[in-house]
Amino acid sequence: MDYNQFQSMPLDELLTVTASKEPIPGGGGIAAMTAASAAALVEMVANLTIGKKGYEEIEKLMISIRDKAQSLRQRYLDGIAEDAAAFDNVIRSVRLPKDTPDRTAIVQQAFKDAATSPFELGKDIFALLQLAEQAVRYGNAWVITDGAIAAMNARAAMRSAFYSVRINLRSITDEAFVARMIAQIREIEEKAVIVEQNVEYEYRQR
């Protein structure tokens, strides 16, 4: 199956497929889609700041934010297919006959891959959250709400991605892998809380 089809589907079709009995795209894919929409909002704030009177001093910053957000938007769209492929691999691995050579190792690796994919996505979404904070702080005041919405959606998408990590970690027997992954998630989440608070503060100040 070509999982890349999900990112090119019309929105209504993607949501219809998500609502079906098929397990993919699921929560991880929707988290990636949400992140992509948040990136688009950050780009919009940057584009509506670039070239505007009174924002000349931060124009280079806004160009940088726009370009980074654009690159991240494509990465998140790719994440929809990556999540679907990882989950499908888990299903196929679990369904292997019990007498399959190295079945346990294959299943464990599938769960590790299924945990790693949303972890990397969540980590990359944190980068967008930081860009959204800058957009709210320095961007065109007329679209500051859009920047704040981008930040909140990025935060929700990041948390959702990490939920997907945690559910897969429950099936992994490698305790060192699980501990390392949880520690990294906690570290990123702690930083994200601070960024979220900064966004709220900047939004109210402007």
Side-chain angles (χ1 to χ4, degrees), residues 152-168:
M152 296 306 104
N153 277 321
R155 181 75 175 100
M158 192 188 81
R159 293 184 67 188
S160 299
F162 288 154
Y163 281 145
S164 293
V165 176
R166 289 187 176 96
I167 192 63
N168 286 294

Side-chain angles (χ1 to χ4, degrees), residues 1 3 23-24 82-93 95:
M1 181 177 182
Y3 302 115
I24 53 176
E82 291 171 9
D83 180 79
F87 182 78
D88 186 53
N89 187 44
V90 167
I91 296 300
R92 286 187 286 106
S93 298
R95 289 176 177 172

Side-chain angles (χ1 to χ4, degrees), residues 3-142:
Y3 302 115
N4 290 312
Q5 65 177 308
F6 294 134
Q7 66 173 267
S8 59
M9 282 182 177
L11 180 58
D12 59 342
E13 186 177 343
L14 176 62
L15 295 178
T16 297
V17 172
T18 302
S20 73
K21 293 181 179 180
E22 295 299 322
I24 53 176
I30 293 301
M33 185 194 74
T34 301
S37 68
L41 283 174
V42 170
E43 290 176 70
M44 186 188 78
V45 173
N47 280 321
L48 288 173
T49 304
I50 296 167
K52 297 295 183 181
K53 184 177 180 181
Y55 295 96
E56 293 85 357
E57 291 185 3
I58 51 92
E59 182 161 313
K60 288 184 179 179
L61 172 63
M62 284 295 132
I63 291 173
S64 175
I65 289 173
R66 179 198 63 191
D67 292 347
K68 289 177 181 177
Q70 184 178 31
S71 178
L72 286 171
R73 173 160 55 93
Q74 185 57 55
R75 185 269 180 267
Y76 304 145
L77 288 175
D78 292 340
I80 301 175
E82 291 171 9
D83 180 79
F87 182 78
D88 186 53
N89 187 44
V90 167
I91 296 300
R92 286 187 286 106
S93 298
V94 170
R95 289 176 177 172
L96 287 173
K98 299 295 184 181
D99 59 352
T100 300
D102 299 320
R103 181 182 182 278
T104 298
I106 293 171
V107 170
Q108 283 296 301
Q109 187 59 54
F111 275 113
K112 283 185 176 181
D113 292 343
T116 300
S117 179
F119 172 76
E120 293 298 330
L121 176 66
K123 189 167 62 174
D124 288 344
I125 295 174
F126 176 67
L128 177 67
L129 182 60
Q130 293 175 301
L131 292 179
E133 178 191 6
Q134 291 181 301
V136 170
R137 180 177 298 174
Y138 302 114
N140 189 331
W142 286 100

Side-chain angles (χ1 to χ4, degrees), residues 179-194:
R180 184 169 61 251
M181 194 71 77
I182 290 176
Q184 291 180 83
I185 288 175
R186 286 175 176 169
E187 181 181 355
I188 297 171
E189 285 281 8
E190 288 173 1
K191 294 177 182 178
V193 169
I194 296 173

